[in-house]
Amino acid sequence: MASGLVLNHELSKLFNQLWDADLNRLGPGRDYAISLQGKADFVPQGIHKAPDHASQALFLWVNEGRLQSTKTFAGVAENVTLEEEAENNRFLDAILETEVMKLAHQYLVRKNLSKPSQRDFKAQLYSIWFQLYTRDGRQGPDSCGFEHVFVGETRRGQEILGFHNWVQFYLQEKRGNIDYKGYVARQHKSRPDEDDQVLNLQFSWKGLVKPVGSTFLGVSPEFEFALFTIVFLQSQEKVTRVLVGIEEYELQIVVYRHGHHIGSAYPKLVSSNNEALY
């Protein structure tokens, strides 16, 4: 088990239901393909260069028709700054129509963590994800959970913050703004599999290196919203780590709290049935 955490069976069951309900999820080999290439070197946070163990892009191709025709993906792809309240509301309306978010809402209502009305739930999600706040060392409210997790930020031009969404990674890579450096291997574990839908990776963006970024691959925005919101609302801790089993993956879902808002959220792959364990 990871870091002394015990597998949370209740959330594992729920998250597998959400996984099965995620009809908008893109499948490896069917809707996209990646090229893992080499294993990235260990580098510290805050550096501007790292050895490149991947001469090609991470994404070989993605079915852009699916991205453009699925309202929730289109919301993530189009709204890179997300300072428009109308855009934020359209995005929330789109995810709230999905079975994934309906199941998440039902669970949160049963746990008395959300109100039954969809209007109240939408307002709660808006506050958690889109309400602007001030990050450490900055002037004025200029950050929100969505921008941090789904779009990415930089701090004082010294380090990359957040950036855990695969759609933004693909779009930024396609525009030449991201240089994928290689996969990040876990201790005593073999190479990941190119069908894996959770990946630890290293990349550079805006002249900075992200030593270890972790992301789901192919999943819909509503799936990530549901997981991270549920973990966020179940705990008042500054940092919450929940160990869950989803499909063949054993994951930590890590959520950082910034007052009443999400500060950061990402999956951390612990193990997968696709690999040999040593």
Side-chain angles (χ1 to χ4, degrees):
M1 291 296 171
S3 306
L5 290 177
V6 176
L7 191 73
N8 187 312
H9 292 283
E10 180 182 333
L11 288 184
S12 295
K13 182 181 177 183
L14 174 66
F15 292 170
N16 277 287
Q17 290 172 338
L18 299 181
W19 180 273
D20 291 341
D22 190 13
L23 302 181
N24 289 332
R25 182 173 70 249
L26 272 59
R30 184 185 72 227
D31 301 305
Y32 72 89
I34 63 170
S35 174
L36 287 168
Q37 302 164 78
K39 174 181 165 184
D41 291 350
F42 171 78
V43 295
Q45 184 72 269
I47 68 161
H48 294 256
K49 284 190 175 179
D52 196 342
H53 294 281
S55 58
Q56 296 172 291
L58 173 65
F59 284 95
L60 297 175
W61 56 270
V62 172
N63 181 344
E64 291 200 5
R66 290 264 333 253
L67 293 184
Q68 291 158 3
S69 64
T70 306
K71 283 194 289 185
T72 59
F73 276 125
V76 169
E78 290 164 9
N79 303 332
V80 178
T81 56
L82 278 165
E83 289 167 355
E84 291 286 329
E85 196 170 333
E87 290 175 352
N88 302 341
N89 278 306
R90 272 197 302 274
F91 173 75
L92 286 177
D93 287 339
I95 69 169
L96 285 167
E97 289 174 10
T98 67
E99 186 64 21
V100 168
M101 285 307 289
K102 287 175 183 173
L103 287 169
H105 186 200
Q106 289 165 14
Y107 174 82
L108 290 168
V109 170
R110 285 200 306 272
K111 292 290 185 179
N112 293 316
L113 295 170
S114 296
K115 293 179 180 174
S117 124
Q118 181 159 310
R119 185 176 175 181
D120 287 335
F121 186 44
K122 179 181 172 183
Q124 183 183 30
L125 291 174
Y126 197 101
S127 174
I128 290 169
W129 285 97
F130 293 106
Q131 188 70 47
L132 291 174
Y133 53 77
T134 306
R135 284 199 183 271
D136 297 340
R138 290 189 180 173
Q139 300 294 315
D142 62 351
S143 180
C144 67
F146 186 94
E147 186 156 355
H148 180 93
V149 175
F150 284 83
V151 182
E153 309 173 282
T154 59
R155 174 156 53 198
R156 302 189 199 96
Q158 294 300 315
E159 59 183 317
I160 298 170
L161 302 178
F163 207 132
H164 297 290
N165 179 253
W166 75 270
V167 177
Q168 280 300 333
F169 189 100
Y170 164 68
L171 293 173
Q172 290 290 317
E173 187 177 60
K174 184 182 167 189
R175 293 172 190 142
N177 297 333
I178 274 183
D179 183 9
Y180 170 62
K181 302 290 188 186
Y183 67 89
V184 176
R186 285 157 291 131
Q187 196 175 12
H188 310 309
K189 300 291 190 296
S190 65
R191 174 188 175 85
D193 190 287
E194 285 175 348
D195 285 342
D196 278 350
Q197 292 200 263
V198 192
L199 186 64
N200 300 331
L201 48 86
Q202 187 179 104
F203 62 93
S204 63
W205 178 57
K206 294 188 176 182
L208 299 168
V209 173
K210 179 94 174 178
V212 185
S214 52
T215 182
F216 284 107
L217 293 175
V219 301
S220 69
E222 57 267 28
F223 179 79
E224 295 188 76
F225 245 72
L227 261 62
F228 298 147
T229 300
I230 288 165
V231 173
F232 174 82
L233 287 173
Q234 287 209 326
S235 169
Q236 294 297 314
E237 297 295 321
K238 175 86 174 169
V239 186
T240 302
R241 293 179 173 85
V242 177
L243 188 66
V244 292
I246 304 177
E247 280 288 291
E248 71 264 32
Y249 310 109
E250 190 177 70
L251 304 167
Q252 278 189 47
I253 305 298
V254 184
V255 176
Y256 284 74
R257 175 177 281 273
H258 193 286
H260 298 294
H261 319 294
I262 280 183
S264 186
Y266 54 89
K268 185 177 176 185
L269 186 58
V270 177
S271 68
S272 163
N273 289 348
N274 285 349
E275 64 189 350
L277 301 183
Y278 298 101

